[in-house]
Amino acid sequence: MPVEFLGIAGTNDATEIRPRTTASSFDKEYTLKLARAHEDFGWDRILFAYGSGAPEPAAAASYIVSHLDRIQILLAHRPNVSYPTFAAKTFATLDQISGGRVTVHFITGGNDAEQQREGDFLTKDERYDRTREYIQIVKKAWTSREPFSHNGTHYQFNDFVSDIFPVAQPRPNISFGGSSEAAYAVGGAEADIYALWGEPLENTAEQIASITAAAKAAGKPRPRLQVAFRPIIAPTDELAWRKAESIVEQIKGRVAGNPVFSRMLSLTAPQNAGSQRLLAIADSVDRFGKAGWTATSKATGGGGNSNALVGSPETVAEALLEYYDLGIDILSARGYDLLDDAIDFGRYVIPIVREEVAKRDKKIQGVA
C-alpha cells in the first residue's frame, strides 16, 4: 500500500526548545519557506494545527495553497469555534482554492482550560457527542444539492443548502484522533483517517484493535491509520543520541523559564487520555523498539505528539517501517528545528522508507 508523509506547517519558528525568532506569530515568509521545504523534499501533506490563541489555520492554509502547487493540507478544526454549516463552506472554499488538496482534522478537545479559552464549557463526553453531530452536518453540507434541515442535540437549522462545494469528490477526507473509548467510537464511525500519537508497537496495536472494533460496530470499514513521532536524526546513532539528550535539556529549560509556554502543558496530570497514555508509557520504559524514546514526552507532560525516534536516517526509517508493517500508511513527523529537520528528514529518511515500501509492495504483488 502507498505510504504518505505528514509534516507541520508552522507559522513561526517556535518549538519546545526555543521561543520564536520570526517577526510575529504569523510570519508569511517563514510560513511559505517551511511549506515549500516540505513540498521540495518529498512530503505529501502538512498540518495546520489549532491553538486557542494561534493564527487562524484556514487563512494560513489559504495563503500557502495560493503559492504552492503540490503540497496537500491537513487543516485542524475545533467544532466549538464556528457553526458547522459555516465551517463546511470554509473548508469547501479552501478546497476550491487548492484544487482539491484539503483534508480536515476535527479536534474534540481534551483539555477543559484550553477549550474554555474560546468559550467552550461542555464536558468531555458532551464534546465528543457534539463532534459526531458536527462532522455529520459538514459531510451533508458538502454533498447535498438540495436544502436540508437539522434538529439535533447541539445544532438546529432549517432549509440550508450550500452554493460552494469541494473539488474532492464525493467529499474531502475527515481525519480524527484520540485515545479514549469515546474517541474510538466517533472516529471509527465518522473518520476516513485515524491519527495516533507514537507509542510502542504493542500499545499501538491495542489502539488499532479498538479503532477496528469501533468501525465494525458502526458498520464502517476501518479508517486509514496515521502515527506521529518527533524524529531526532544525525549521521550516526551515537551522534543522534547526543543530540537527543541536548534537546531534552533544552525542553526542560524552556518549561522552567517560560510560564506562558509551561501553562499550555499539564506536566503531571493531563486530562486527555492520549497524554495519560504517553506518561504511563514513559513511567515504565525509557526506550522502545528500534529507536523510540519517551524522555521528550515526559519533559512536556505527554504534550501532544512528543515521543521521539532517535538515530541515523537508516535507524529511524527502520523504526517507521515497523509501524507501516502494522498497517499504518501515513507517517507524521515533526522535528525540533522545524525547517532544518523537515529538510533533513525529507532528504535522508523519506527516500529510504519509500524504497522499502516499494519492495514490500512488489513482494505482495509477486513481482521479483
Side-chain angles (χ1 to χ4, degrees):
M1 59 183 175
V3 64
E4 295 182 6
F5 289 90
L6 170 68
I8 191 71
T11 59
N12 61 77
D13 66 350
T15 70
E16 295 92 332
I17 67 172
R18 69 182 186 200
R20 71 173 185 250
T21 63
T22 47
S24 70
S25 60
F26 179 48
D27 185 298
K28 291 197 299 182
E29 291 185 6
Y30 181 84
T31 302
L32 181 57
K33 186 176 183 180
L34 179 60
R36 181 172 283 123
H38 283 87
E39 183 167 273
D40 289 346
F41 286 91
W43 299 77
D44 298 285
R45 185 179 287 110
I46 49 176
L47 166 65
F48 283 84
Y50 192 96
S52 60
E56 202 284 308
S62 181
Y63 173 71
I64 290 303
V65 298
S66 297
H67 286 77
L68 300 179
D69 297 325
R70 184 187 63 81
I71 199 74
Q72 297 178 55
I73 301 301
L74 179 59
L75 180 70
H77 180 76
R78 289 183 185 166
N80 61 292
V81 298
S82 68
Y83 210 73
T85 50
F86 176 83
K89 294 186 297 180
T90 300
F91 306 146
T93 303
L94 180 59
D95 200 55
Q96 286 283 345
I97 294 170
S98 71
R101 288 183 277 157
V102 173
T103 297
V104 183
H105 180 72
F106 287 93
I107 302 172
T108 298
N111 183 291
D112 290 345
E114 171 66 7
Q115 294 300 121
Q116 290 168 10
R117 288 176 185 132
E118 292 191 286
D120 185 8
F121 289 87
L122 295 186
T123 66
K124 187 175 180 181
D125 285 344
E126 289 171 334
R127 293 199 295 266
Y128 274 112
D129 185 61
R130 177 184 60 192
T131 300
R132 184 194 294 264
E133 187 176 341
Y134 196 100
I135 293 173
Q136 291 171 347
I137 293 168
V138 168
K139 287 179 178 178
K140 193 164 186 179
W142 277 342
T143 56
S144 178
R145 265 57 177 179
E146 299 296 329
F148 68 97
S149 300
H150 181 85
N151 185 19
T153 303
H154 301 278
Y155 304 102
Q156 299 85 38
F157 56 86
N158 292 323
D159 206 36
F160 174 81
V161 64
S162 181
D163 193 34
I164 179 74
F165 295 94
V167 172
Q169 291 299 313
R171 57 171 177 77
N173 283 327
I174 299 292
S175 172
F176 190 83
S179 298
S180 66
E181 291 303 318
Y184 300 145
V186 175
E190 301 296 340
D192 305 295
I193 297 167
Y194 203 104
L196 298 169
W197 290 335
E199 297 182 1
L201 285 166
E202 58 271 24
N203 301 82
T204 301
E206 291 172 1
Q207 288 194 287
I208 292 173
S210 296
I211 296 163
T212 302
K216 183 177 180 181
K220 302 287 183 65
R222 189 190 71 191
R224 293 176 65 195
L225 300 169
Q226 173 185 306
V227 70
F229 283 104
R230 308 300 295 273
I232 302 174
I233 62 173
T236 67
D237 288 348
E238 180 182 0
L239 289 173
W241 281 106
R242 290 183 193 174
K243 181 179 176 181
E245 295 288 354
S246 173
I247 284 172
V248 165
E249 291 307 309
Q250 291 176 72
I251 292 173
K252 291 177 179 177
R254 181 141 157 72
V255 168
N258 190 322
V260 175
F261 173 69
S262 61
R263 87 183 182 107
M264 298 186 296
L265 306 172
S266 299
L267 297 178
T268 57
Q271 292 180 328
N272 63 305
S275 292
Q276 291 169 7
R277 287 177 62 95
L278 293 184
L279 286 183
I281 292 167
D283 285 340
S284 64
V285 64
D286 183 47
R287 299 189 185 187
F288 60 88
K290 292 184 179 297
W293 196 40
T294 63
T296 46
S297 182
K298 196 166 189 176
T300 60
N305 170 22
S306 52
N307 272 340
L309 292 179
V310 183
S312 67
E314 293 79 11
T315 297
V316 170
E318 288 176 12
L320 289 170
L321 285 162
E322 289 188 320
Y323 290 87
Y324 175 83
D325 290 338
L326 202 61
I328 294 168
D329 64 342
I330 303 174
L331 304 175
S332 175
R334 171 166 55 99
Y336 290 95
D337 183 314
L338 299 182
L339 180 60
D340 288 347
D341 287 346
I343 293 171
D344 286 346
F345 189 90
R347 177 178 283 149
Y348 301 117
V349 178
I350 288 178
I352 297 174
V353 175
R354 291 200 192 279
E355 182 178 354
E356 291 301 318
V357 166
K359 291 178 182 177
R360 284 160 166 76
D361 287 346
K362 284 184 179 180
K363 186 175 292 187
I364 291 172
Q365 295 165 6
V367 179

